[in-house]
Amino acid sequence: MIRKIGKNLDHYYFHQVVGAFFYAIMLSLALNYFWLPGHVYSSGFTGLAQLVDTLTGGKINVAWAIALVNMPLLLLAWFTLSKRFAIFTAMAVLLSAAFVPLFATKTVLTPDPLINAIFGGGINGMAVGTALRCGVGTGGLDIIGMELKHQFRMKVGSVNLAFNALIMVGAGLTYGWQYALYSIIGVVVSAHFIDLFYTHQQQIQEMIVTNKPEEMTDTIQNKMRRGVTIIDSAHGGYTGRDRSILLTVVTQHELPELRHAIKEVDPNAFYSESKVEHTGGRFYEPEP
């Protein structure tokens, strides 16, 4: 019985725990080795924590500020989103607050703010993207974005932009406007790395031309829980034979599984892929 419970815990929670620890360690390295020495501000609530540290003259340091600014949103996530998501997000936030002083250093790898912005942003983006991929939120804007998406089906782009703009203004007023520009570079690099590592949010439309439409549809629906639209009586211009066209939308993360399913059902099927900017209606998204 105990062994069975252990296996279930490993199956359901191992990736979340690893994701939380990985995020906390990488964030601490980015903060101590790049952002703080380079006077570069992060995006989101980590940047807000840096700003709180600066405005209070260090009385509320970055570690304490990370925990304090995220606490109200963690409570919000607990009551309105998912208790499991809130627990692992709280783990990531509290581990970050604990590891920031643990990894504190006086070593300055480089005084160049541009290099610090690029490498700090890259490490942070990798950490955030990996955590999200493991089902762990990183607090702050992640929770705000999920709330807006869950409650109002809205994207959080404008909120992110406005919030980060305030952080950049804080960087400019504190260290000089050149550092605000360096911080913006770091934010852009971070966003790019998040997209590279967090593929669940990227949607792909798949067009499949096959002579086994029913079998292909059953495989996709049963294995991937994705809807399929069938266009019958398509006519091949080269072969002169009738085929069916199937249309479905999956996430970038699911793409390898879809390709495998296509080859398994019909190795001769033709398929093409294109990025999707927006979906409406009933696109299945798992609970956080």
Side-chain angles (χ1 to χ4, degrees):
M1 181 68 178
I2 295 176
R3 184 179 297 178
K4 184 177 180 181
I5 293 173
K7 286 183 178 179
N8 287 334
L9 287 173
D10 177 74
H11 175 71
Y12 288 112
Y13 303 131
F14 176 75
H15 288 90
Q16 285 90 337
V17 172
V18 170
F21 270 90
F22 181 80
Y23 168 74
I25 292 171
M26 291 297 103
L27 176 68
S28 301
L29 293 176
L31 191 65
N32 285 301
Y33 283 88
F34 296 100
W35 289 333
L36 293 181
H39 302 305
V40 175
Y41 275 48
S42 171
S43 61
F45 274 48
T46 303
L48 178 60
Q50 290 177 262
L51 191 58
V52 169
D53 177 53
T54 301
L55 293 176
T56 61
K59 292 180 180 179
I60 302 178
N61 61 34
V62 174
W64 276 105
I66 287 175
L68 291 175
V69 298
N70 279 288
M71 196 59 64
L73 291 172
L74 291 172
L75 292 174
L76 181 65
W78 174 270
F79 289 109
T80 62
L81 290 175
S82 162
K83 290 181 173 58
R84 179 179 62 83
F85 176 78
I87 289 171
F88 285 111
T89 302
M91 179 185 292
V93 169
L94 294 177
L95 284 172
S96 300
F99 285 169
V100 165
L102 187 64
F103 285 90
T105 179
K106 294 182 179 179
T107 301
V108 178
L109 298 179
T110 173
D112 190 326
L114 179 59
I115 294 177
N116 283 311
I118 292 173
F119 278 87
I123 292 173
N124 179 67
M126 178 178 64
V128 173
T130 302
L132 292 173
R133 187 166 184 167
C134 292
V136 178
T138 59
L141 292 179
D142 287 351
I143 297 174
I144 293 174
M146 294 187 72
E147 285 286 351
L148 290 176
K149 194 171 185 179
H150 180 71
Q151 300 291 343
F152 306 106
R153 309 298 296 177
M154 290 172 54
K155 290 190 175 182
V156 74
S158 57
V159 177
N160 279 345
L161 185 61
F163 189 91
N164 288 327
L166 292 176
I167 300 299
M168 298 308 110
V169 169
L173 292 174
T174 304
Y175 297 119
W177 293 108
Q178 71 271 28
Y179 291 100
L181 298 178
Y182 290 131
S183 297
I184 291 172
I185 293 173
V187 170
V188 172
V189 172
S190 180
H192 177 68
F193 273 79
I194 290 173
D195 286 340
L196 287 179
F197 282 85
Y198 181 47
T199 55
H200 291 70
Q201 65 179 349
Q202 301 169 30
Q203 297 174 352
I204 304 294
Q205 178 176 276
E206 194 88 3
M207 183 185 75
I208 308 165
V209 181
T210 179
N211 59 0
K212 298 180 180 179
E214 301 299 334
E215 190 176 346
M216 187 77 72
T217 299
D218 289 341
T219 300
I220 294 173
Q221 289 179 338
N222 293 331
K223 287 188 175 182
M224 305 183 63
R225 198 176 174 179
R226 291 299 177 195
V228 179
T229 299
I230 303 175
I231 303 174
D232 288 318
S233 302
H235 192 69
Y238 178 74
T239 63
R241 298 175 181 176
D242 288 339
R243 292 285 189 273
S244 294
I245 297 176
L246 277 59
L247 298 176
T248 187
V249 176
V250 299
T251 66
Q252 182 79 33
H253 180 69
E254 297 168 319
L255 206 51
E257 184 179 358
L258 177 61
R259 291 170 179 169
H260 177 75
I262 293 171
K263 291 180 180 179
E264 182 181 12
V265 174
D266 184 4
N268 297 316
F270 171 83
Y271 60 93
S272 63
E273 298 157 358
S274 57
K275 290 185 178 181
V276 175
E277 293 295 329
H278 177 73
T279 56
R282 297 181 178 180
F283 182 78
Y284 167 73
E285 295 187 40
E287 291 295 322

